[in-house]
């Protein structure tokens, strides 16, 4: 197993670790003190890792996970309130959600996958989750919407009416329920999601690279109305929300640990 040096923020704090297990490339978000919330520096580090996965012919399958028993709490709202965004132009949240990767990518989810964390998992081709893990798209509770795959992808992965409930209430979706609905491929005991995801990745990596690429492309281009078209239509609807006073109020209220005061503007 080869371990590459961690990608650092300007202050030298590691935020993303990568490991090579033969043809399997494990990418770990390493900000456990903030539940692996993604700020701008972390997003750029993740984008670099995804680029390495796709650029190298000897790496066939990726696994995305989080350190410290949490997948990701999504957007770092304190950083966002200060003007730092984890959205990379043309690539989406964490450099992943709007990036059509050539390589198969598996999410290994422990603990919480909230907001952008769930959207990163939805951007992966498969999800392995610990039985006590929890997904959640909580943006409506802080005056935002989940525009990086929550609205576009969740109704494709689970029944539409359940997806709408999750999106409108902001209520959590336990991994066991997500598995029953077909969102999660495999459930594992707590602490074993990464090992199962790596095992799956090795099973995939045994197969012909051209076949893997063709299958993934065919699935992702399944209809004329693909993800990119869906994102374009969605963005016209959600742009006013993201630019609203309430969006800023939600982020500031979260950072200040108080209830938001919505004004509907």
């Amino acid at each position: 197993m080869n371990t590459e040096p961690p990608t650092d923020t300007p202050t030298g704090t590691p935020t993303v670790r990568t490991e090579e297990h033969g043809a399997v490339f494990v990418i770990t978000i390493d900000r456990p003190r903030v539940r692996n919330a993604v700020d701008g520096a972390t997003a750029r580090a993740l984008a670099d890792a995804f680029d390495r996965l796709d650029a190298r012919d000897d790496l066939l399958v990726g696994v995305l996970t989080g350190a410290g028993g949490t997948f990701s709490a999504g957007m770092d709202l304190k950083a966002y309130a200060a003007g730092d965004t984890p959205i990379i132009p043309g690539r989406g949240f964490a450099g992943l959600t709007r990036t059509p990767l050539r390589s198969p990518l598996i999410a290994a989810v422990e603990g919480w996958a909230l907001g952008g964390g769930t959207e990163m998992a939805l951007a992966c081709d498969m999800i392995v989750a610990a039985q006590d893990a929890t997904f959640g798209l909580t943006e409506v509770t802080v005056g935002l919407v989940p525009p990086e795959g929550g609205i576009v992808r969740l109704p494709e992965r689970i029944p539409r009416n359940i997806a709408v409930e999750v999106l409108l209430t902001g209520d959590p979706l336990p991994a066991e329920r997500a598995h029953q609905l077909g969102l999660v491929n495999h459930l594992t005991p707590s602490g074993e999601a990464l090992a199962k995801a790596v095992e799956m990745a090795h099973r995939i990596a045994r197969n012909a690279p051209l076949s893997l690429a063709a299958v993934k492309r065919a699935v992702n281009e399944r209809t004329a109305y693909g993800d990119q078209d869906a994102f374009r239509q969605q963005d016209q609807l959600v742009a006013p929300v993201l630019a609203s006073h309430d969006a800023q109020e939600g982020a500031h209220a979260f950072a200040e640990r108080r209830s938001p005061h919505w004004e509907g503007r």
Side-chain angles (χ1 to χ4, degrees):
M1 178 180 72
N2 298 321
T3 304
E4 295 191 26
T7 304
D8 294 346
T9 66
T11 59
T13 303
T15 61
V16 174
R17 292 185 285 108
T18 62
E19 299 175 47
E20 297 176 25
H21 300 254
V24 175
F25 193 54
V26 178
I27 302 167
T28 304
I29 307 169
D30 194 8
R31 301 187 76 206
R33 291 185 179 180
V34 291
R35 297 193 298 173
N36 298 320
V38 179
D39 60 2
T42 304
R44 292 187 291 274
L46 285 166
D48 287 343
F50 298 131
D51 285 346
R52 276 182 281 157
L53 170 63
D54 260 7
R56 288 178 47 183
D57 291 337
D58 59 328
L59 297 176
L60 298 181
V61 185
V63 175
L64 177 64
T65 194
T70 298
F71 184 69
S72 174
M75 179 186 291
D76 187 329
L77 285 177
K78 291 184 179 179
Y80 175 78
D84 179 32
T85 177
I87 308 295
I88 297 180
R91 302 193 56 151
F93 182 82
L96 173 63
T97 54
R98 304 194 187 203
T99 301
L101 292 181
R102 173 178 59 86
S103 307
L105 186 64
I106 303 172
V109 179
E110 297 277 352
W112 287 94
L114 291 176
T118 289
E119 291 181 305
M120 283 191 291
L122 288 169
C124 295
D125 299 290
M126 288 162 279
I127 300 174
V128 176
Q131 58 192 13
D132 56 353
T134 304
F135 300 87
L137 292 165
T138 60
E139 282 84 351
V140 293
T141 68
V142 292
L144 299 171
V145 290
E148 294 301 320
I151 296 173
V152 170
R153 294 188 173 112
L154 189 64
E156 293 184 343
R157 305 290 179 84
I158 65 175
R160 179 187 177 279
N161 59 316
I162 305 300
V164 170
E165 178 183 347
V166 171
L167 291 164
L168 292 183
T169 64
D171 289 344
L173 180 63
E176 290 192 355
R177 176 65 170 151
H179 182 252
Q180 293 170 356
L181 294 168
L183 180 63
V184 170
N185 293 70
H186 296 278
L187 280 179
T188 74
S190 180
E192 297 183 18
L194 178 58
K196 179 64 177 179
V198 170
E199 175 195 323
M200 287 179 60
H202 279 297
R203 287 166 53 198
I204 295 168
R206 292 198 302 256
N207 299 318
L210 291 179
S211 299
L212 299 179
V215 167
K216 176 161 180 177
R217 182 172 178 180
V219 170
N220 289 342
E221 296 178 1
R222 61 206 173 277
T223 66
Y225 190 65
D227 282 352
Q228 297 308 311
D229 292 325
F231 276 123
R232 279 191 289 271
Q233 184 189 53
Q234 170 206 266
D235 288 348
Q236 295 178 7
L237 300 174
V238 305
V241 179
L242 298 178
S244 69
H245 168 273
D246 280 357
Q248 290 295 317
E249 166 63 12
H252 285 294
F254 177 87
E256 296 164 9
R257 299 179 181 276
R258 61 175 174 80
S259 298
H261 302 289
W262 306 126
E263 296 186 12
R265 63 180 180 89

PDB file of all heavy atoms in Angstrom, residues 128-161:
ATOM      1  N   VAL A 128     -21.786   2.374   0.452  1.00  0.00           N
ATOM      2  CA  VAL A 128     -21.711   1.411   1.547  1.00  0.00           C
ATOM      3  C   VAL A 128     -21.833   2.217   2.829  1.00  0.00           C
ATOM      4  O   VAL A 128     -21.152   3.238   2.991  1.00  0.00           O
ATOM      5  CB  VAL A 128     -20.385   0.633   1.534  1.00  0.00           C
ATOM      6  CG1 VAL A 128     -20.295  -0.290   2.751  1.00  0.00           C
ATOM      7  CG2 VAL A 128     -20.240  -0.158   0.235  1.00  0.00           C
ATOM      8  N   ALA A 129     -22.698   1.807   3.745  1.00  0.00           N
ATOM      9  CA  ALA A 129     -22.918   2.581   4.964  1.00  0.00           C
ATOM     10  C   ALA A 129     -22.961   1.677   6.176  1.00  0.00           C
ATOM     11  O   ALA A 129     -23.483   0.557   6.120  1.00  0.00           O
ATOM     12  CB  ALA A 129     -24.216   3.383   4.865  1.00  0.00           C
ATOM     13  N   ALA A 130     -22.428   2.181   7.281  1.00  0.00           N
ATOM     14  CA  ALA A 130     -22.583   1.501   8.563  1.00  0.00           C
ATOM     15  C   ALA A 130     -24.045   1.554   8.968  1.00  0.00           C
ATOM     16  O   ALA A 130     -24.768   2.506   8.645  1.00  0.00           O
ATOM     17  CB  ALA A 130     -21.706   2.158   9.622  1.00  0.00           C
ATOM     18  N   GLN A 131     -24.499   0.542   9.686  1.00  0.00           N
ATOM     19  CA  GLN A 131     -25.925   0.454  10.014  1.00  0.00           C
ATOM     20  C   GLN A 131     -26.401   1.591  10.920  1.00  0.00           C
ATOM     21  O   GLN A 131     -27.604   1.887  10.961  1.00  0.00           O
ATOM     22  CB  GLN A 131     -26.224  -0.891  10.666  1.00  0.00           C
ATOM     23  CG  GLN A 131     -25.435  -1.166  11.928  1.00  0.00           C
ATOM     24  CD  GLN A 131     -25.560  -2.624  12.364  1.00  0.00           C
ATOM     25  OE1 GLN A 131     -26.037  -3.461  11.612  1.00  0.00           O
ATOM     26  NE2 GLN A 131     -25.125  -2.902  13.583  1.00  0.00           N
ATOM     27  N   ASP A 132     -25.466   2.257  11.606  1.00  0.00           N
ATOM     28  CA  ASP A 132     -25.856   3.391  12.450  1.00  0.00           C
ATOM     29  C   ASP A 132     -25.540   4.736  11.791  1.00  0.00           C
ATOM     30  O   ASP A 132     -25.597   5.778  12.448  1.00  0.00           O
ATOM     31  CB  ASP A 132     -25.179   3.304  13.823  1.00  0.00           C
ATOM     32  CG  ASP A 132     -23.662   3.226  13.744  1.00  0.00           C
ATOM     33  OD1 ASP A 132     -23.114   3.113  12.629  1.00  0.00           O
ATOM     34  OD2 ASP A 132     -23.013   3.291  14.812  1.00  0.00           O
ATOM     35  N   ALA A 133     -25.216   4.733  10.504  1.00  0.00           N
ATOM     36  CA  ALA A 133     -24.984   5.984   9.785  1.00  0.00           C
ATOM     37  C   ALA A 133     -26.307   6.690   9.516  1.00  0.00           C
ATOM     38  O   ALA A 133     -27.381   6.080   9.567  1.00  0.00           O
ATOM     39  CB  ALA A 133     -24.251   5.713   8.472  1.00  0.00           C
ATOM     40  N   THR A 134     -26.213   7.994   9.217  1.00  0.00           N
ATOM     41  CA  THR A 134     -27.416   8.792   8.966  1.00  0.00           C
ATOM     42  C   THR A 134     -27.153   9.775   7.837  1.00  0.00           C
ATOM     43  O   THR A 134     -26.135  10.465   7.829  1.00  0.00           O
ATOM     44  CB  THR A 134     -27.839   9.580  10.221  1.00  0.00           C
ATOM     45  OG1 THR A 134     -28.012   8.671  11.313  1.00  0.00           O
ATOM     46  CG2 THR A 134     -29.137  10.326   9.979  1.00  0.00           C
ATOM     47  N   PHE A 135     -28.106   9.833   6.900  1.00  0.00           N
ATOM     48  CA  PHE A 135     -28.065  10.806   5.818  1.00  0.00           C
ATOM     49  C   PHE A 135     -29.033  11.933   6.142  1.00  0.00           C
ATOM     50  O   PHE A 135     -30.004  11.743   6.868  1.00  0.00           O
ATOM     51  CB  PHE A 135     -28.457  10.152   4.492  1.00  0.00           C
ATOM     52  CG  PHE A 135     -27.557   9.022   4.090  1.00  0.00           C
ATOM     53  CD1 PHE A 135     -27.799   7.733   4.525  1.00  0.00           C
ATOM     54  CD2 PHE A 135     -26.456   9.255   3.273  1.00  0.00           C
ATOM     55  CE1 PHE A 135     -26.968   6.680   4.164  1.00  0.00           C
ATOM     56  CE2 PHE A 135     -25.617   8.215   2.903  1.00  0.00           C
ATOM     57  CZ  PHE A 135     -25.873   6.924   3.357  1.00  0.00           C
ATOM     58  N   GLY A 136     -28.776  13.114   5.563  1.00  0.00           N
ATOM     59  CA  GLY A 136     -29.701  14.209   5.791  1.00  0.00           C
ATOM     60  C   GLY A 136     -29.439  15.369   4.851  1.00  0.00           C
ATOM     61  O   GLY A 136     -28.283  15.717   4.586  1.00  0.00           O
ATOM     62  N   LEU A 137     -30.514  15.927   4.316  1.00  0.00           N
ATOM     63  CA  LEU A 137     -30.437  17.134   3.500  1.00  0.00           C
ATOM     64  C   LEU A 137     -31.178  18.220   4.268  1.00  0.00           C
ATOM     65  O   LEU A 137     -32.388  18.391   4.135  1.00  0.00           O
ATOM     66  CB  LEU A 137     -31.047  16.879   2.121  1.00  0.00           C
ATOM     67  CG  LEU A 137     -30.230  15.905   1.258  1.00  0.00           C
ATOM     68  CD1 LEU A 137     -31.035  15.393   0.078  1.00  0.00           C
ATOM     69  CD2 LEU A 137     -28.935  16.563   0.779  1.00  0.00           C
ATOM     70  N   THR A 138     -30.426  18.930   5.100  1.00  0.00           N
ATOM     71  CA  THR A 138     -31.008  19.834   6.091  1.00  0.00           C
ATOM     72  C   THR A 138     -31.037  21.290   5.636  1.00  0.00           C
ATOM     73  O   THR A 138     -31.352  22.173   6.438  1.00  0.00           O
ATOM     74  CB  THR A 138     -30.203  19.744   7.396  1.00  0.00           C
ATOM     75  OG1 THR A 138     -28.833  20.117   7.130  1.00  0.00           O
ATOM     76  CG2 THR A 138     -30.214  18.326   7.949  1.00  0.00           C
ATOM     77  N   GLU A 139     -30.730  21.546   4.370  1.00  0.00           N
ATOM     78  CA  GLU A 139     -30.558  22.926   3.919  1.00  0.00           C
ATOM     79  C   GLU A 139     -31.767  23.819   4.193  1.00  0.00           C
ATOM     80  O   GLU A 139     -31.613  25.008   4.498  1.00  0.00           O
ATOM     81  CB  GLU A 139     -30.220  22.941   2.426  1.00  0.00           C
ATOM     82  CG  GLU A 139     -28.781  22.600   2.115  1.00  0.00           C
ATOM     83  CD  GLU A 139     -28.521  21.103   2.052  1.00  0.00           C
ATOM     84  OE1 GLU A 139     -29.426  20.317   2.420  1.00  0.00           O
ATOM     85  OE2 GLU A 139     -27.426  20.708   1.649  1.00  0.00           O
ATOM     86  N   VAL A 140     -32.989  23.275   4.060  1.00  0.00           N
ATOM     87  CA  VAL A 140     -34.170  24.127   4.256  1.00  0.00           C
ATOM     88  C   VAL A 140     -34.242  24.687   5.670  1.00  0.00           C
ATOM     89  O   VAL A 140     -34.880  25.717   5.900  1.00  0.00           O
ATOM     90  CB  VAL A 140     -35.475  23.376   3.921  1.00  0.00           C
ATOM     91  CG1 VAL A 140     -35.541  23.057   2.441  1.00  0.00           C
ATOM     92  CG2 VAL A 140     -35.633  22.131   4.775  1.00  0.00           C
ATOM     93  N   THR A 141     -33.585  24.040   6.625  1.00  0.00           N
ATOM     94  CA  THR A 141     -33.626  24.513   8.007  1.00  0.00           C
ATOM     95  C   THR A 141     -32.715  25.714   8.237  1.00  0.00           C
ATOM     96  O   THR A 141     -32.809  26.361   9.273  1.00  0.00           O
ATOM     97  CB  THR A 141     -33.244  23.394   8.990  1.00  0.00           C
ATOM     98  OG1 THR A 141     -31.856  23.060   8.831  1.00  0.00           O
ATOM     99  CG2 THR A 141     -34.085  22.146   8.765  1.00  0.00           C
ATOM    100  N   VAL A 142     -31.821  26.005   7.288  1.00  0.00           N
ATOM    101  CA  VAL A 142     -30.934  27.171   7.407  1.00  0.00           C
ATOM    102  C   VAL A 142     -31.098  28.117   6.218  1.00  0.00           C
ATOM    103  O   VAL A 142     -30.201  28.872   5.874  1.00  0.00           O
ATOM    104  CB  VAL A 142     -29.454  26.749   7.568  1.00  0.00           C
ATOM    105  CG1 VAL A 142     -29.220  26.075   8.899  1.00  0.00           C
ATOM    106  CG2 VAL A 142     -29.010  25.842   6.421  1.00  0.00           C
ATOM    107  N   GLY A 143     -32.272  28.048   5.575  1.00  0.00           N
ATOM    108  CA  GLY A 143     -32.583  29.000   4.520  1.00  0.00           C
ATOM    109  C   GLY A 143     -31.932  28.720   3.187  1.00  0.00           C
ATOM    110  O   GLY A 143     -31.889  29.598   2.324  1.00  0.00           O
ATOM    111  N   LEU A 144     -31.433  27.507   2.988  1.00  0.00           N
ATOM    112  CA  LEU A 144     -30.778  27.146   1.735  1.00  0.00           C
ATOM    113  C   LEU A 144     -31.573  26.039   1.039  1.00  0.00           C
ATOM    114  O   LEU A 144     -32.645  25.646   1.498  1.00  0.00           O
ATOM    115  CB  LEU A 144     -29.341  26.685   2.006  1.00  0.00           C
ATOM    116  CG  LEU A 144     -28.409  27.717   2.642  1.00  0.00           C
ATOM    117  CD1 LEU A 144     -27.093  27.065   3.050  1.00  0.00           C
ATOM    118  CD2 LEU A 144     -28.161  28.888   1.701  1.00  0.00           C
ATOM    119  N   VAL A 145     -31.053  25.556  -0.050  1.00  0.00           N
ATOM    120  CA  VAL A 145     -31.585  24.382  -0.735  1.00  0.00           C
ATOM    121  C   VAL A 145     -30.400  23.497  -1.088  1.00  0.00           C
ATOM    122  O   VAL A 145     -29.268  23.974  -1.144  1.00  0.00           O
ATOM    123  CB  VAL A 145     -32.349  24.760  -2.023  1.00  0.00           C
ATOM    124  CG1 VAL A 145     -33.644  25.467  -1.691  1.00  0.00           C
ATOM    125  CG2 VAL A 145     -31.487  25.627  -2.934  1.00  0.00           C
ATOM    126  N   PRO A 146     -30.612  22.194  -1.304  1.00  0.00           N
ATOM    127  CA  PRO A 146     -29.503  21.304  -1.669  1.00  0.00           C
ATOM    128  C   PRO A 146     -29.312  21.252  -3.185  1.00  0.00           C
ATOM    129  O   PRO A 146     -29.849  20.369  -3.852  1.00  0.00           O
ATOM    130  CB  PRO A 146     -29.929  19.947  -1.103  1.00  0.00           C
ATOM    131  CG  PRO A 146     -31.419  20.008  -1.099  1.00  0.00           C
ATOM    132  CD  PRO A 146     -31.815  21.440  -0.936  1.00  0.00           C
ATOM    133  N   PRO A 147     -28.545  22.208  -3.775  1.00  0.00           N
ATOM    134  CA  PRO A 147     -28.482  22.322  -5.226  1.00  0.00           C
ATOM    135  C   PRO A 147     -27.379  21.506  -5.874  1.00  0.00           C
ATOM    136  O   PRO A 147     -27.191  21.575  -7.088  1.00  0.00           O
ATOM    137  CB  PRO A 147     -28.193  23.818  -5.415  1.00  0.00           C
ATOM    138  CG  PRO A 147     -27.290  24.147  -4.270  1.00  0.00           C
ATOM    139  CD  PRO A 147     -27.776  23.289  -3.121  1.00  0.00           C
ATOM    140  N   GLU A 148     -26.633  20.727  -5.079  1.00  0.00           N
ATOM    141  CA  GLU A 148     -25.495  20.000  -5.643  1.00  0.00           C
ATOM    142  C   GLU A 148     -25.772  18.499  -5.752  1.00  0.00           C
ATOM    143  O   GLU A 148     -24.870  17.677  -5.576  1.00  0.00           O
ATOM    144  CB  GLU A 148     -24.235  20.272  -4.814  1.00  0.00           C
ATOM    145  CG  GLU A 148     -23.772  21.715  -4.898  1.00  0.00           C
ATOM    146  CD  GLU A 148     -23.457  22.139  -6.335  1.00  0.00           C
ATOM    147  OE1 GLU A 148     -22.864  21.330  -7.080  1.00  0.00           O
ATOM    148  OE2 GLU A 148     -23.808  23.285  -6.713  1.00  0.00           O
ATOM    149  N   GLY A 149     -27.014  18.169  -6.065  1.00  0.00           N
ATOM    150  CA  GLY A 149     -27.378  16.775  -6.284  1.00  0.00           C
ATOM    151  C   GLY A 149     -28.534  16.300  -5.439  1.00  0.00           C
ATOM    152  O   GLY A 149     -29.184  15.312  -5.779  1.00  0.00           O
ATOM    153  N   GLY A 150     -28.810  16.993  -4.341  1.00  0.00           N
ATOM    154  CA  GLY A 150     -29.926  16.571  -3.498  1.00  0.00           C
ATOM    155  C   GLY A 150     -31.245  16.603  -4.248  1.00  0.00           C
ATOM    156  O   GLY A 150     -32.000  15.626  -4.251  1.00  0.00           O
ATOM    157  N   ILE A 151     -31.529  17.726  -4.903  1.00  0.00           N
ATOM    158  CA  ILE A 151     -32.785  17.866  -5.633  1.00  0.00           C
ATOM    159  C   ILE A 151     -32.785  17.016  -6.900  1.00  0.00           C
ATOM    160  O   ILE A 151     -33.796  16.393  -7.243  1.00  0.00           O
ATOM    161  CB  ILE A 151     -33.024  19.352  -5.987  1.00  0.00           C
ATOM    162  CG1 ILE A 151     -33.201  20.187  -4.717  1.00  0.00           C
ATOM    163  CG2 ILE A 151     -34.244  19.495  -6.888  1.00  0.00           C
ATOM    164  CD1 ILE A 151     -33.272  21.678  -4.973  1.00  0.00           C
ATOM    165  N   VAL A 152     -31.650  16.979  -7.594  1.00  0.00           N
ATOM    166  CA  VAL A 152     -31.569  16.284  -8.880  1.00  0.00           C
ATOM    167  C   VAL A 152     -31.511  14.771  -8.711  1.00  0.00           C
ATOM    168  O   VAL A 152     -32.202  14.029  -9.411  1.00  0.00           O
ATOM    169  CB  VAL A 152     -30.343  16.775  -9.674  1.00  0.00           C
ATOM    170  CG1 VAL A 152     -30.082  15.902 -10.891  1.00  0.00           C
ATOM    171  CG2 VAL A 152     -30.543  18.224 -10.103  1.00  0.00           C
ATOM    172  N   ARG A 153     -30.690  14.296  -7.778  1.00  0.00           N
ATOM    173  CA  ARG A 153     -30.393  12.858  -7.727  1.00  0.00           C
ATOM    174  C   ARG A 153     -31.261  12.074  -6.743  1.00  0.00           C
ATOM    175  O   ARG A 153     -31.580  10.909  -7.004  1.00  0.00           O
ATOM    176  CB  ARG A 153     -28.911  12.648  -7.390  1.00  0.00           C
ATOM    177  CG  ARG A 153     -27.970  13.141  -8.486  1.00  0.00           C
ATOM    178  CD  ARG A 153     -26.528  12.744  -8.209  1.00  0.00           C
ATOM    179  NE  ARG A 153     -25.686  13.090  -9.350  1.00  0.00           N
ATOM    180  CZ  ARG A 153     -24.742  14.038  -9.340  1.00  0.00           C
ATOM    181  NH1 ARG A 153     -24.522  14.726  -8.227  1.00  0.00           N
ATOM    182  NH2 ARG A 153     -24.024  14.305 -10.414  1.00  0.00           N
ATOM    183  N   LEU A 154     -31.615  12.661  -5.600  1.00  0.00           N
ATOM    184  CA  LEU A 154     -32.327  11.862  -4.595  1.00  0.00           C
ATOM    185  C   LEU A 154     -33.643  11.298  -5.132  1.00  0.00           C
ATOM    186  O   LEU A 154     -33.938  10.119  -4.904  1.00  0.00           O
ATOM    187  CB  LEU A 154     -32.570  12.671  -3.321  1.00  0.00           C
ATOM    188  CG  LEU A 154     -33.121  11.847  -2.153  1.00  0.00           C
ATOM    189  CD1 LEU A 154     -32.110  10.794  -1.699  1.00  0.00           C
ATOM    190  CD2 LEU A 154     -33.502  12.744  -0.978  1.00  0.00           C
ATOM    191  N   PRO A 155     -34.461  12.072  -5.878  1.00  0.00           N
ATOM    192  CA  PRO A 155     -35.715  11.489  -6.401  1.00  0.00           C
ATOM    193  C   PRO A 155     -35.490  10.388  -7.427  1.00  0.00           C
ATOM    194  O   PRO A 155     -36.432   9.647  -7.737  1.00  0.00           O
ATOM    195  CB  PRO A 155     -36.417  12.699  -7.040  1.00  0.00           C
ATOM    196  CG  PRO A 155     -35.836  13.890  -6.356  1.00  0.00           C
ATOM    197  CD  PRO A 155     -34.407  13.527  -6.111  1.00  0.00           C
ATOM    198  N   GLU A 156     -34.270  10.270  -7.971  1.00  0.00           N
ATOM    199  CA  GLU A 156     -33.959   9.176  -8.882  1.00  0.00           C
ATOM    200  C   GLU A 156     -33.552   7.911  -8.137  1.00  0.00           C
ATOM    201  O   GLU A 156     -33.648   6.811  -8.680  1.00  0.00           O
ATOM    202  CB  GLU A 156     -32.814   9.570  -9.819  1.00  0.00           C
ATOM    203  CG  GLU A 156     -33.145  10.657 -10.810  1.00  0.00           C
ATOM    204  CD  GLU A 156     -31.990  10.909 -11.757  1.00  0.00           C
ATOM    205  OE1 GLU A 156     -30.852  10.473 -11.443  1.00  0.00           O
ATOM    206  OE2 GLU A 156     -32.213  11.519 -12.814  1.00  0.00           O
ATOM    207  N   ARG A 157     -33.085   8.077  -6.903  1.00  0.00           N
ATOM    208  CA  ARG A 157     -32.529   6.942  -6.162  1.00  0.00           C
ATOM    209  C   ARG A 157     -33.542   6.283  -5.236  1.00  0.00           C
ATOM    210  O   ARG A 157     -33.411   5.099  -4.919  1.00  0.00           O
ATOM    211  CB  ARG A 157     -31.322   7.406  -5.339  1.00  0.00           C
ATOM    212  CG  ARG A 157     -30.230   8.099  -6.143  1.00  0.00           C
ATOM    213  CD  ARG A 157     -29.495   7.145  -7.058  1.00  0.00           C
ATOM    214  NE  ARG A 157     -28.471   7.834  -7.818  1.00  0.00           N
ATOM    215  CZ  ARG A 157     -27.240   8.080  -7.355  1.00  0.00           C
ATOM    216  NH1 ARG A 157     -26.887   7.679  -6.142  1.00  0.00           N
ATOM    217  NH2 ARG A 157     -26.360   8.714  -8.111  1.00  0.00           N
ATOM    218  N   ILE A 158     -34.513   7.049  -4.760  1.00  0.00           N
ATOM    219  CA  ILE A 158     -35.535   6.500  -3.865  1.00  0.00           C
ATOM    220  C   ILE A 158     -36.897   6.971  -4.382  1.00  0.00           C
ATOM    221  O   ILE A 158     -36.965   7.850  -5.233  1.00  0.00           O
ATOM    222  CB  ILE A 158     -35.311   6.935  -2.397  1.00  0.00           C
ATOM    223  CG1 ILE A 158     -35.487   8.459  -2.237  1.00  0.00           C
ATOM    224  CG2 ILE A 158     -33.933   6.516  -1.914  1.00  0.00           C
ATOM    225  CD1 ILE A 158     -35.384   8.930  -0.784  1.00  0.00           C
ATOM    226  N   PRO A 159     -38.009   6.394  -3.885  1.00  0.00           N
ATOM    227  CA  PRO A 159     -39.322   6.855  -4.350  1.00  0.00           C
ATOM    228  C   PRO A 159     -39.478   8.365  -4.221  1.00  0.00           C
ATOM    229  O   PRO A 159     -39.069   8.967  -3.221  1.00  0.00           O
ATOM    230  CB  PRO A 159     -40.289   6.104  -3.433  1.00  0.00           C
ATOM    231  CG  PRO A 159     -39.556   4.847  -3.075  1.00  0.00           C
ATOM    232  CD  PRO A 159     -38.122   5.268  -2.941  1.00  0.00           C
ATOM    233  N   ARG A 160     -40.106   8.965  -5.226  1.00  0.00           N
ATOM    234  CA  ARG A 160     -40.200  10.417  -5.303  1.00  0.00           C
ATOM    235  C   ARG A 160     -40.851  11.015  -4.057  1.00  0.00           C
ATOM    236  O   ARG A 160     -40.377  12.038  -3.528  1.00  0.00           O
ATOM    237  CB  ARG A 160     -40.995  10.829  -6.546  1.00  0.00           C
ATOM    238  CG  ARG A 160     -41.175  12.339  -6.688  1.00  0.00           C
ATOM    239  CD  ARG A 160     -42.109  12.683  -7.845  1.00  0.00           C
ATOM    240  NE  ARG A 160     -42.329  14.124  -7.923  1.00  0.00           N
ATOM    241  CZ  ARG A 160     -43.195  14.792  -7.169  1.00  0.00           C
ATOM    242  NH1 ARG A 160     -43.935  14.127  -6.274  1.00  0.00           N
ATOM    243  NH2 ARG A 160     -43.335  16.111  -7.306  1.00  0.00           N
ATOM    244  N   ASN A 161     -41.933  10.414  -3.578  1.00  0.00           N
ATOM    245  CA  ASN A 161     -42.629  11.009  -2.444  1.00  0.00           C
ATOM    246  C   ASN A 161     -41.776  10.978  -1.180  1.00  0.00           C
ATOM    247  O   ASN A 161     -41.827  11.906  -0.355  1.00  0.00           O
ATOM    248  CB  ASN A 161     -43.969  10.305  -2.202  1.00  0.00           C
ATOM    249  CG  ASN A 161     -43.817   8.823  -1.935  1.00  0.00           C
ATOM    250  OD1 ASN A 161     -43.058   8.149  -2.633  1.00  0.00           O
ATOM    251  ND2 ASN A 161     -44.528   8.291  -0.959  1.00  0.00           N
TER     252      ASN A 161
END
